Amino acid sequence: MIRKMSNGADEEADEFLYEDGTVRLRNSNIELMDQDILYHLALGSGSHDLVEMFGDVKFVCLGGTPKRMEQFAHYIMGEIGHKLPTGTTLQDISQFSYRYSMYKVGPVLSISHGMGLPSMGILLHEVIKLMYHAKVKDPVFLRIGTSGGIGIEPGTVVISEQTVDGLLRPYYELAVLGKIVQRPAVLDKKLMRELKALHHAEDPYETVTGKTMCTTDFYEGQGRLDGAFCDFNENEKMEYLEKIQSANVINMEMESLAFAALTHSAGIRSAVICVTIVDRLKGDQIHAPKEVLDEYQKRPQKLVSRYIKKFLQTKGRFMDSYCGSPCVKSPRRFKLVQQESENYD
Ligand SMILES: O=P(O)(O)O[C@@H]1C[C@H](O)[C@@H](CO)O1
Ligand SMILES: O=c1cc[nH]c(=O)[nH]1
């Protein structure tokens, strides 16, 4: 994987993971700290054995709402046949943060990220640090969300090829110490293709790839006429939506920029899979009934589940256990795991 630097240069992402595939932090301050409190996750490197709790994680799935991510955790548990110890139930690990929800099902973490870039950004700082403390090897991050389509049928699953801001720029911008820092928002193209290939001909909806616009607001920021404020008219709105459509934007959501930029900066492969729940060329309000929306939300989950299952089946022969961590006891065996990984698609 090639990693784009903030100055636009290319760099091999391998340099950003340790040799055994574990996540390397790009902040030397963390190593010097006695303990690291992951405040919004209600976890800490001093208070919890993070390697024991999370060392076997391979897939980090993120979505907006706590309910969706709880449902996904139950769904993936059935799909991969993961058994909880007798007498236990799935627990929200971050319950006492009262911010985000986190469930762990074998190699899968299912975490809610809330709405918007700041919420996603804060969460990712802590989840990426969690990967580092837990010595997780080569994790894959997947956002399973909802979006507004631009000229596509509601219910379509969009796997983002690129994510851009409201000005069509492929950067996540943040004011740091009074200066604007731009981080390139880069998603893993190979992962995108692997996911797309898992669409089934009999799925009663389309799965497409394309450009996603990530905005900082649901209403004015996405050109809606139905917010509490609106200083533009229908013609201006349509002109904007048609302009972004001709720039190949096929859907709009609110987290992919931070997700793509922060995972890429950490050398972590990631993909954004969002179902569309409205065609913005036809209207602003979400009219679909709850049952329809619930079924739509499951579509990205199905695709991700197929990916996880295929990965686990392919890897199974080389794993120490069902956990997803490659055996690194002998370098030769580790090479086999790597090779298998390269042959995956
Ligand atoms: O993953 P979800 O469905 O929460 O993401 C989209 C983008 C915003 O957070 C939210 C707006 O309704 O839905
Ligand atoms: O229109 C939509 C629908 C879901 N999420 C968004 O950000 N926009």
Side-chain angles (χ1 to χ4, degrees):
M1 168 175 150
I2 300 291
R3 189 178 162 280
K4 269 251 172 281
M5 302 294 288
S6 28
N7 65 6
D10 286 344
E11 193 162 1
E12 283 291 338
D14 291 0
E15 290 164 34
F16 287 86
L17 296 178
Y18 287 110
E19 237 176 51
D20 66 356
T22 50
V23 174
R24 183 191 295 235
L25 272 194
R26 305 185 63 222
N27 176 6
S28 54
N29 296 319
I30 305 295
E31 280 169 38
L32 305 174
M33 288 160 41
D34 285 347
Q35 62 164 331
D36 184 14
I37 297 168
L38 307 176
Y39 169 61
H40 302 89
L41 297 179
L43 291 168
S45 64
S47 51
H48 296 81
D49 184 344
L50 298 177
V51 176
E52 171 68 22
M53 287 174 76
F54 298 100
D56 63 348
V57 167
K58 179 73 195 169
F59 305 98
V60 178
C61 302
L62 302 134
T65 71
K67 194 74 209 162
R68 185 189 311 152
M69 300 324 285
E70 183 184 1
Q71 282 170 345
F72 178 68
H74 283 281
Y75 171 62
I76 200 72
M77 184 153 65
E79 290 289 293
I80 65 173
H82 181 79
K83 298 269 179 296
L84 294 175
T86 319
T88 64
T89 52
L90 264 187
Q91 290 297 318
D92 177 356
I93 298 167
S94 296
Q95 179 183 8
F96 296 110
S97 72
Y98 305 106
R99 295 284 184 185
Y100 304 103
S101 285
M102 182 197 291
Y103 299 89
K104 182 172 183 301
V105 177
V108 183
L109 274 187
S110 180
I111 314 175
S112 68
H113 57 62
M115 281 201 284
L117 290 167
S119 186
M120 174 62 97
I122 295 163
L123 176 72
L124 281 180
H125 273 277
E126 295 186 13
V127 176
I128 291 169
K129 289 197 295 171
L130 177 61
M131 298 295 103
Y132 161 76
H133 291 302
K135 303 192 190 308
V136 169
K137 295 186 182 80
D138 195 19
V140 176
F141 279 40
L142 301 146
R143 162 160 150 69
I144 43 181
T146 63
S147 61
I150 310 291
I152 56 178
E153 187 68 23
T156 303
V157 173
V158 176
I159 311 170
S160 308
E161 190 174 342
Q162 170 71 70
T163 172
V164 293
D165 69 6
L167 302 172
L168 294 166
R169 300 174 308 168
Y171 299 105
Y172 174 45
E173 272 192 354
L174 197 68
V176 179
L177 302 183
K179 293 192 187 110
I180 293 292
V181 171
Q182 286 189 333
R183 291 216 170 93
V186 183
L187 294 161
D188 193 287
K189 291 260 170 42
K190 182 164 173 258
L191 179 57
M192 177 197 77
R193 288 193 296 273
E194 286 169 353
L195 286 161
K196 172 85 162 55
L198 292 170
H199 173 81
H200 292 172
E202 60 271 24
D203 287 339
Y205 49 86
E206 277 196 84
T207 299
V208 299
T209 57
K211 208 180 268 182
T212 296
M213 175 174 276
C214 177
T215 66
T216 50
D217 174 50
F218 183 83
Y219 288 99
E220 293 171 282
Q222 293 187 2
R224 281 186 158 84
L225 296 162
D226 62 344
F229 310 96
C230 183
D231 299 325
F232 49 85
N233 61 32
E234 169 79 21
N235 287 343
E236 289 165 322
K237 164 192 147 177
M238 290 310 292
E239 201 181 305
Y240 176 69
L241 292 182
E242 280 157 15
K243 177 182 153 199
I244 65 169
Q245 187 183 34
S246 57
N248 299 322
V249 171
I250 60 169
N251 69 336
M252 279 177 161
E253 49 76 89
M254 296 174 57
E255 292 82 19
S256 58
L257 267 185
F259 179 76
L262 299 189
T263 50
H264 181 66
S265 294
I268 292 172
R269 290 179 296 143
S270 67
V272 176
I273 310 104
C274 288
V275 70
T276 60
I277 57 173
V278 59
D279 179 356
R280 291 300 317 292
L281 298 187
K282 298 197 175 135
D284 293 342
Q285 299 235 309
I286 314 294
H287 286 295
K290 188 184 170 312
E291 314 78 68
V292 173
L293 291 175
D294 285 348
E295 194 276 318
Y296 281 177
Q297 285 194 34
K298 296 208 171 91
R299 295 178 179 184
Q301 301 180 26
K302 273 193 194 148
L303 199 68
V304 163
S305 161
R306 286 174 195 163
Y307 178 78
I308 292 174
K309 281 193 292 184
K310 184 171 177 198
F311 184 95
L312 293 176
Q313 280 155 10
T314 315
K315 297 279 182 226
R317 286 173 295 137
F318 296 101
M319 297 295 167
D320 263 343
S321 68
Y322 200 48
C323 70
S325 307
C327 171
V328 289
K329 278 174 208 135
S330 97
R332 197 183 151 267
R333 207 158 161 221
F334 179 54
K335 273 225 168 70
L336 281 177
V337 175
Q338 281 187 314
Q339 228 166 26
E340 188 77 353
S341 170
E342 278 150 23
N343 295 340
Y344 176 59
D345 66 341

